[in-house]
Amino acid sequence: KNQVEQSPQSLIILEGKNCTLQCNYTVSPFSNLRWYKQDTGRGPVSLTIMTFSENTKSNGRYTATLDADTKQSSLHITASQLSDSASYICVVPLSGTYKYIFGTGTRLKVLA
Amino acid sequence: GAGVSQSPSNKVTEKGKDVELRCDPISGHTALYWYRQSLGQGLEFLIYFQGNSAPDKSGLPSDRFSAERTGGSVSTLTIQRTQQEDSAVYLCASGGGYNEQFFGPGTRLTVL
């Protein structure tokens, strides 16, 4: 069954600290995986996309990793800021279709 | 406009009433999706439009739900005889290249 699972479900950290969010998928065949950030009351916005051949990619303080063998991805946030408080959603497309499998997200709260 | 817009941003209605939600996609995007996002759940696919092709309605949860897209641009999602379980955030996304979806801010529907 094609699934995307994320952990933890929620996370609270202090401003300035680092954190890592996890995404495990069973979607096959696999082409790419995308991380979205969803602020409260807003739609998801793409942070980064990881293709099959990529292991790591950075976007500012966000670094995504992908292990296609173990079907795991992580999103590492460095030196967190209050504005990082949001839900982070992992999404994998169903190859050959226009549909996507969405994880339930990780809700991150950064405290001052 | 620069992004996907949705209206209204919030809608409170009484059980049994009909509601209409609107989505203005990014100009030139031929693909348009409607999703439902309930608390603690991943995005649930509702319907997909692609150009002039027949839409994929396979995600609509009941015959009370319908959607149309006029002129390949604006889309409306209609829910008839609303029920309390219809309360959720309804997100619209239009498609771009390389599987990226651009999301609107959503409509928060509350059925009393």
Side-chain angles (χ1 to χ4, degrees):
Chain A
K1 183 178 179 182
N2 293 305
Q3 286 185 315
V4 175
E5 295 182 345
Q6 293 186 244
S7 62
Q9 187 175 26
S10 62
L11 182 62
I12 301 174
I13 61 173
L14 293 176
E15 186 178 16
K17 297 297 185 182
N18 304 335
C19 67
T20 300
L21 314 181
Q22 299 289 344
C23 174
N24 296 340
Y25 61 91
T26 58
V27 181
S28 182
F30 175 80
S31 62
N32 64 74
L33 178 150
R34 195 179 290 270
W35 284 93
Y36 283 87
K37 178 187 180 187
Q38 185 176 20
D39 292 311
T40 301
R42 309 292 294 271
V45 175
S46 178
L47 288 174
T48 189
I49 180 171
M50 302 295 291
T51 61
F52 184 86
S53 60
E54 294 175 308
N55 297 120
T56 184
K57 184 183 289 184
S58 292
N59 177 6
R61 294 181 297 101
Y62 299 102
T63 299
T65 67
L66 175 68
D67 185 334
D69 292 330
T70 61
K71 298 186 176 181
Q72 296 180 325
S73 177
S74 67
L75 182 69
H76 185 76
I77 304 175
T78 303
S80 60
Q81 300 177 357
L82 297 179
S83 59
D84 293 331
S85 296
S87 287
Y88 292 84
I89 303 171
C90 177
V91 185
V92 179
L94 275 175
S95 288
T97 79
Y98 44 78
K99 293 186 177 180
Y100 300 80
I101 306 297
F102 291 82
T104 55
T106 292
R107 283 178 293 166
L108 174 65
K109 179 75 171 178
V110 181
L111 300 178
Chain B
V4 179
S5 61
Q6 292 186 245
S7 62
S9 56
N10 280 284
K11 177 71 176 178
V12 180
T13 190
E14 293 180 347
K15 177 182 172 181
K17 301 286 188 183
D18 298 350
V19 296
E20 195 171 273
L21 313 180
R22 177 188 169 103
C23 171
D24 273 279
I26 293 173
S27 178
H29 281 186
T30 57
L32 187 148
Y33 299 76
W34 282 99
Y35 294 96
R36 180 166 68 178
Q37 186 176 35
S38 302
L39 195 63
Q41 304 292 320
L43 272 67
E44 175 189 5
F45 167 79
L46 295 177
I47 189 168
Y48 167 76
F49 295 91
Q50 173 59 269
N52 295 319
S53 302
D56 178 350
K57 305 179 181 180
S58 62
L60 295 178
S62 77
D63 59 7
R64 296 186 295 104
F65 288 72
S66 63
E68 63 176 23
R69 189 179 185 190
T70 54
S73 180
V74 171
S75 177
T76 55
L77 176 69
T78 301
I79 308 174
Q80 296 178 309
R81 304 181 303 280
T82 52
Q83 304 294 312
Q84 289 183 330
E85 61 262 30
D86 299 335
S87 296
V89 175
Y90 290 83
L91 289 164
C92 172
S94 69
Y98 201 26
N99 289 335
E100 179 167 4
Q101 298 179 91
F102 297 85
F103 287 85
T107 293
R108 179 174 295 279
L109 175 66
T110 302
V111 182
L112 301 176

